[in-house]
Amino acid sequence: MKILGLDSSGMVAGVAIVEDGLLLAEYTTNYKKTHSQTLLPMLDELRNMIELDINSIDAIAVAAGPGSFTGLRIGAATAKGLGLALDKPLVEVPTLEGLAYNLCGCTQLVCPLMDARRNQVYNGIYEFVREGEQYRLRAVAPQCAADICEVIEKLNALGREVIFLGDGVPVYQKVIREKMIVPYSFAPASNNRQRAASVAALGEEYFREGKIVSAADHQPEYLRKAQAERERAEQERAGA
């Protein structure tokens, strides 16, 4: 089984190929260029490097949201275009599940945080449960948008050690340090941002479970309205 993973849900852009539990290649950048400029060239370079026949992939796993509205649309358009052209299904991997999967096998609770502005974060709380020779990702609290203080209160109530990761960590690090009661730590640079390899690896699991959609049916999961939509709604309420 061969899975192509794509992630453009945040500042990081990444592509990866996983085959039968083995990472064949991964290309990741965390820079200013827009993902529309980088995603397909990265895939093309990765394809040439490992002499990949793109038709040999079984499915395309894509970070399905939440995240940057523009980034998610670019990722969705890329995945849908490839899926339609190759006649391959898509595997929708929730962005925060993909992030949490960076820490597969750890015994602490995993709390990915993505900055959603206005003192809110996209977040989820996860743990890894051993099943035979494998670790399975389990949502203690599924991904949502919430105030950072609400997230910290929920974690303190759970009473277990926590590892934080994601681009929301540097934004809210001061609040975390002030309000966390239970032991906590921050993931290292090697795995504290989105990785297409994790999307592909988790996508391989979900593909085996039959969690696929057609390329035509895929839609990103934003969790919140875009800022322009929120501002328009506020203006309409003010004028009512």
Side-chain angles (χ1 to χ4, degrees):
M1 185 186 302
K2 193 176 292 182
I3 304 295
L4 166 65
L6 303 174
D7 196 329
S8 59
S9 58
M11 281 294 292
V12 173
V15 297
I17 296 288
V18 166
E19 183 176 16
D20 297 329
L22 178 67
L23 175 63
L24 298 183
E26 181 180 20
Y27 194 151
T28 300
T29 61
N30 186 7
Y31 196 61
K32 302 173 184 177
K33 291 183 179 179
T34 64
H35 298 332
S36 60
Q37 294 176 291
T38 58
L39 209 57
L40 283 175
M42 288 164 60
L43 174 58
D44 192 50
E45 188 164 341
L46 180 147
R47 182 182 60 81
N48 290 329
M49 185 67 68
I50 63 173
E51 300 177 348
L52 172 71
D53 176 5
I54 195 69
N55 289 287
S56 70
I57 65 172
D58 294 286
I60 302 157
V62 59
S68 156
F69 285 80
T70 301
L72 289 175
R73 289 182 182 122
I74 292 169
T78 303
K80 286 165 76 74
L82 288 169
L84 289 168
L86 301 172
D87 193 24
K88 303 293 182 180
L90 269 56
V91 183
E92 298 172 325
V93 177
T95 301
L96 293 160
E97 291 185 15
L99 253 174
Y101 207 71
N102 290 359
L103 302 177
C104 183
C106 76
T107 57
Q108 301 95 326
L109 290 177
V110 178
C111 184
L113 301 174
M114 296 179 68
D115 184 20
R117 308 295 174 88
R118 297 189 173 190
N119 213 45
Q120 286 201 328
V121 288
Y122 298 123
N123 71 99
I125 303 172
Y126 303 92
E127 65 179 354
F128 290 95
V129 180
R130 185 159 186 165
E131 294 182 1
E133 298 177 346
Q134 304 292 326
Y135 283 97
R136 305 285 292 180
L137 180 69
R138 189 181 80 85
V140 177
Q143 62 180 26
C144 66
D147 185 282
I148 183 61
C149 293
E150 293 177 13
V151 178
I152 292 173
E153 184 178 345
K154 187 183 300 182
L155 289 167
N156 284 332
L158 289 170
R160 292 175 56 186
E161 186 174 351
V162 184
I163 300 181
F164 291 100
L165 72 163
D167 61 31
V169 170
V171 178
Y172 297 104
Q173 198 170 84
K174 182 179 178 182
V175 179
I176 292 170
R177 286 179 168 146
E178 287 175 352
K179 295 186 177 295
M180 283 294 291
I181 298 171
V182 297
Y184 67 90
S185 59
F186 302 117
S190 58
N191 52 11
N192 66 7
R193 293 294 187 274
Q194 287 92 332
R195 289 191 60 183
S198 293
V199 171
L202 194 53
E204 187 176 43
E205 286 190 21
Y206 291 166
F207 181 79
R208 285 197 182 97
E209 296 170 6
K211 297 178 180 178
I212 60 174
V213 298
S214 69
D217 289 339
H218 169 62
Q219 294 292 333
E221 175 60 64
Y222 297 114
L223 288 187
R224 288 197 328 183
K225 292 181 179 179
Q227 182 175 344
E229 293 176 299
R230 294 196 303 269
E231 290 175 352
R232 184 169 61 248
E234 289 172 2
Q235 291 171 357
E236 289 173 353
R237 285 196 298 271

